[in-house]
């Protein structure tokens, strides 16, 4: 699809080559997870292409767009690495003409997660953790769990993020904790069925 190619080239121009290679890995993992769990691979691809579009924007520009988007809510009071998700979702809609709300939400919540994540949101958040280029401690555990449960794999991923933030004496965005708790509950409910 020509439109997709154009978006890919445009996104690529807005980040260092290394981050583009990460994005290619997320595209690959997102398509694979979508096929495995019955989400739409084409939507997963588009969300993956755009998920980090705003990651390397100057922080002042991110702040402006966050305010303009109306997605700011409490986020301005929390750490800047959380901003590029909502900023990316707004840009995807405004600049790239993405109208599908599920794709926009997958971009918006890819860093924090949220309570009541859709299948596509889970696929993108998990693909971001397990794409082939990732090699942080514990990534193999998440990859192993991803073969059998999106929710269990995501809990493992979010636990790692939360643990890391605690060790670094960083502020934890409450939505990250709420997302983790909700996914843990879902994982347990699915298991006991
Ligand atoms: O954009 P990526 O590097 O591919 O991955 P990401 O979108 O998951 O962003 C990860 C960054 O966001 C990482 O530096 C940790 C940070 N982060 C994630 N959740 C929280 C957080 N930072 C704070 N302070 N609080 C959070 O809850
Ligand atoms: Fe990101
Ligand atoms: Fe990413």
């Amino acid at each position: 699809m020509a439109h997709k190619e154009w978006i890919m080239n445009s996104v690529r121009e807005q980040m260092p080559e290394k981050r583009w290679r990460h994005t290619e890995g997320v595209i690959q993992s997102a398509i694979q997870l979508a096929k495995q769990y019955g989400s739409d691979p084409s939507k997963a691809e588009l969300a993956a292409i755009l998920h980090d579009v705003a990651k390397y924007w100057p922080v002042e520009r991110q702040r402006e767009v966050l305010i303009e988007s109306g997605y700011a809510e409490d986020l301005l009071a929390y750490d800047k690495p959380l901003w590029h998700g909502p900023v990316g979702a707004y840009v995807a809609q405004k600049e790239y003409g993405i109208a599908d709300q599920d794709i926009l939400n997958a971009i918006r919540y890819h860093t924090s997660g949220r309570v009541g994540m859709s299948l596509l949101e889970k696929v993108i958040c998990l693909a971001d953790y397990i794409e082939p280029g990732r090699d942080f401690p514990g990534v193999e555990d998440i990859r192993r769990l991803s073969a059998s449960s999106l929710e269990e794999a995501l809990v493992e991923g979010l636990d790692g993020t939360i643990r890391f933030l605690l060790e670094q004496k960083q502020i934890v965005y409450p939505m990250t904790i709420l997302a983790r708790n909700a996914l843990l509950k879902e994982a347990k409910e699915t298991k006991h069925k």
Side-chain angles (χ1 to χ4, degrees):
M1 188 176 151
H3 186 52
K4 217 171 241 179
E5 294 292 315
W6 176 80
I7 295 177
M8 282 176 97
N9 284 325
S10 171
V11 169
R12 185 177 190 164
E13 283 169 7
Q14 297 174 63
M15 52 181 61
E17 193 55 28
K18 187 164 179 281
R19 177 61 39 172
W20 176 251
R21 285 200 294 278
H22 158 72
T23 298
E24 286 181 322
V26 177
I27 294 167
Q28 185 188 322
S29 295
I31 290 173
Q32 191 261 316
L33 288 170
K35 286 180 178 166
Q36 185 184 343
Y37 288 100
S39 183
D40 181 335
S42 180
K43 288 188 188 190
E45 183 182 15
L46 206 44
I49 291 168
L50 281 157
H51 85 285
D52 277 342
V53 64
K55 176 108 179 169
Y56 287 86
W57 285 18
V59 77
E60 277 316 311
R61 186 159 168 227
Q62 289 190 46
R63 189 197 308 277
E64 281 168 21
V65 173
L66 196 56
I67 292 165
E68 184 188 322
S69 70
Y71 294 161
E73 292 156 20
D74 54 349
L75 260 182
L76 286 166
Y78 290 95
D79 286 2
K80 296 171 185 67
L82 291 160
W83 296 358
H84 72 280
V87 171
Y90 186 71
V91 168
Q93 187 175 29
K94 289 279 163 187
E95 314 266 329
Y96 297 96
I98 307 298
D100 187 291
Q101 198 57 49
D102 202 15
I103 295 177
L104 296 174
N105 285 337
I107 299 168
R108 180 174 175 182
Y109 297 109
H110 84 267
T111 306
S112 61
R114 66 161 169 164
V115 175
M117 291 172 83
S118 73
L119 187 54
L120 184 66
E121 288 171 46
K122 291 173 183 173
V123 162
I124 296 302
C125 190
L126 182 55
D128 198 19
Y129 276 111
I130 66 168
E131 64 93 358
R134 295 284 204 204
D135 68 344
F136 56 87
V139 69
E140 282 308 330
D141 292 327
I142 308 174
R143 289 197 178 111
R144 185 174 41 75
L145 289 167
S146 75
S148 55
S149 166
L150 280 177
E151 293 78 17
E152 282 181 54
L154 276 169
V155 169
E156 191 68 22
L158 289 169
D159 277 3
T161 298
I162 293 164
R163 208 177 290 123
F164 174 80
L165 292 168
L166 295 179
E167 278 163 9
Q168 303 284 313
K169 281 280 176 287
Q170 300 229 50
I171 289 172
V172 182
Y173 184 45
M175 200 189 287
T176 304
I177 309 270
L178 295 176
R180 179 264 183 193
N181 288 348
L183 288 160
L184 184 62
K185 208 170 164 195
E186 278 185 54
K188 285 181 174 170
E189 282 166 4
T190 320
K191 253 195 171 161
H192 292 150
K193 255 180 202 156

